Amino acid sequence: MTNGAAAAVSHPNIAFIKYWGNRQDNLRLPANGSISMTLGGLLTRTSVRFDPQLLADQLTLNGQPASEEARLRVSAHLEYIRGLSRSSGHAVVESQSDFPSAAGLASSASAFASLTLAACAAAALELDPRDHSRIARRGSGSACRSVFGGFVEAHAGESDLDGYAQQLASPDHWDLVDWIVITSQAPKSVGSSEGHRLAATSPLQAPRVADAPRRLNLCRQAILQRDFAALASVVELDSNLMHAVMLTSQPSLLYWQPETVELMRSISHWREQGLSVCYTVDAGPNVHCLCLGEQAEQVGRQLESLIPEAQLIRSGAGGPARLVGA
Ligand code: DP6
């Protein structure tokens, strides 16, 4: 793009092996590697227009002027990209998502993946997906995974240069469905960035991180072999380990609501009864219920009758972040 403007779309992702805690906060170099599925059913579109007349970067989120905190975070990301391209103009950024943000749905992942692609193109930087992933990580750790489609692994990395993600398998490799059960749309009281900073205060973080290569290996193999039972066991273990760290941080973080626990219990019980289903919970009260595509209708009906007031969003594996018409 040569006119200083570009737009990109990307999907959020659900982590099967979670990133929680940074080795280096300012660069968002994660304490451990992670694995996720990019969620095709949900979309963020971000446009960036550099304008030499502007005195500061401007940010609109879902049609509303963003908070100063969000604007400064985006501005810091743009500053890094301006440095790479040796350009100096400020930008107008507009970002829209078709799903509730800040409720444990990794909205920052799709926001920073699409922002990175759009801003780099608007700044006329020609980069490959690995560079985009590394740059997106600096904006939000989980965003490095949303640059790719399908099943994705993010490396812990030794330094800024190798902290990026890569695709493990394409979206059509395995027909998995994520039913996102939204019991609360309220913004979480402690955001992920603050939660990452607290992780090291838990005595359980060091053993969780030390065991991460083993869980990553189990999860990677389960995906490559399409082994749902193996996937379910490591996904639930990993989610519970992260929440154990959250609960034992100082101050303690408890994201679960009564409905969260009811869903976790029921989903494990359904698996004992023979359904290919498991749960995972991010930094919020909402539960992601993973299942095989062929059982998705039945699982959806069971979720609906368990928590009739919840909003259910169905998503399968989706494609990579990509440029669209500005
Ligand atoms: C629980 O990527 O949202 O969803 O880097 O501060 O933006 P920031 O944090 P973020 O953290 C994700 C936490 C998680 C687990 C995961 O997606 O791996």
Side-chain angles (χ1 to χ4, degrees), residues 63-85:
Q64 303 289 328
S67 69
E68 187 59 5
E69 190 188 350
R71 194 189 69 81
L72 289 174
R73 187 168 168 185
V74 163
S75 197
H77 198 62
L78 291 172
E79 200 52 38
Y80 177 73
I81 292 169
R82 279 190 281 260
L84 293 177
S85 69

Side-chain angles (χ1 to χ4, degrees), residues 3 43 71 73 114 150 194 198 206 214 217 264 270 315 318:
N3 64 353
L43 192 82
R71 194 189 69 81
R73 187 168 168 185
S114 53
E194 178 58 19
L198 294 178
R214 185 186 70 89
N217 201 26
M264 288 163 64
W270 297 342
S315 180

Side-chain angles (χ1 to χ4, degrees), residues 1-267:
M1 310 263 161
T2 50
N3 64 353
V9 292
S10 74
H11 308 291
N13 63 75
I14 178 62
F16 293 172
I17 302 295
K18 313 285 190 193
Y19 141 59
W20 195 245
N22 287 317
R23 267 177 303 135
Q24 213 178 319
D25 248 335
N26 58 339
L27 293 177
R28 288 191 158 82
L29 277 174
N32 59 277
S34 55
I35 293 181
S36 60
M37 179 171 85
T38 300
L39 295 174
L42 312 170
L43 192 82
T44 298
R45 181 185 192 280
T46 302
S47 65
V48 175
R49 183 170 53 79
F50 286 106
D51 178 349
Q53 311 289 331
L54 287 176
L55 298 176
D57 295 314
Q58 295 176 6
L59 174 64
T60 314
L61 290 177
N62 296 321
Q64 303 289 328
S67 69
E68 187 59 5
E69 190 188 350
R71 194 189 69 81
L72 289 174
R73 187 168 168 185
V74 163
S75 197
H77 198 62
L78 291 172
E79 200 52 38
Y80 177 73
I81 292 169
R82 279 190 281 260
L84 293 177
S85 69
R86 296 192 182 80
S87 58
S88 55
H90 290 289
V92 178
V93 178
E94 289 175 358
S95 193
Q96 278 201 302
S97 294
D98 63 1
F99 57 95
S101 62
L105 289 182
S107 56
S108 65
S110 51
F112 278 92
S114 53
L115 173 68
T116 299
L117 256 73
C120 289
L125 284 169
E126 284 180 25
L127 300 171
D128 62 19
R130 181 173 285 193
D131 292 323
H132 286 140
S133 174
R134 190 180 62 75
I135 297 169
R137 185 207 78 236
R138 299 173 64 112
S140 172
S142 54
C144 72
R145 301 187 307 243
S146 276
V147 168
F148 298 95
F151 301 86
V152 181
E153 176 161 4
H155 305 291
E158 296 289 320
S159 71
D160 181 39
L161 294 179
D162 58 359
Y164 52 77
Q166 68 188 109
Q167 190 181 59
L168 287 175
S170 62
D172 58 6
H173 168 72
W174 197 8
D175 183 16
L176 284 188
V177 165
D178 178 13
W179 280 111
I180 308 166
V181 190
I182 300 179
T183 54
S184 163
Q185 302 233 9
K188 49 199 173 195
S189 53
V190 178
S192 312
S193 301
E194 178 58 19
H196 290 298
R197 281 192 280 276
L198 294 178
T201 65
S202 164
L204 301 182
Q205 172 71 345
R208 188 193 76 88
V209 169
D211 182 58
R214 185 186 70 89
R215 296 193 307 281
L216 286 163
N217 201 26
L218 288 170
C219 184
R220 197 185 305 115
Q221 293 311 319
I223 290 169
L224 295 177
Q225 292 162 14
R226 301 185 194 88
D227 180 343
F228 193 89
L231 183 80
S233 134
V234 73
V235 163
E236 290 191 357
L237 169 67
D238 191 83
S239 175
N240 292 341
L241 279 171
M242 181 182 72
H243 285 274
V245 166
M246 292 163 159
L247 275 166
T248 51
S249 293
Q250 287 167 331
S252 167
L253 296 177
L254 171 54
Y255 285 110
W256 297 345
Q257 295 292 342
E259 295 83 1
T260 318
V261 178
E262 190 179 357
L263 281 156
M264 288 163 64
R265 277 187 199 282
S266 299
I267 291 167

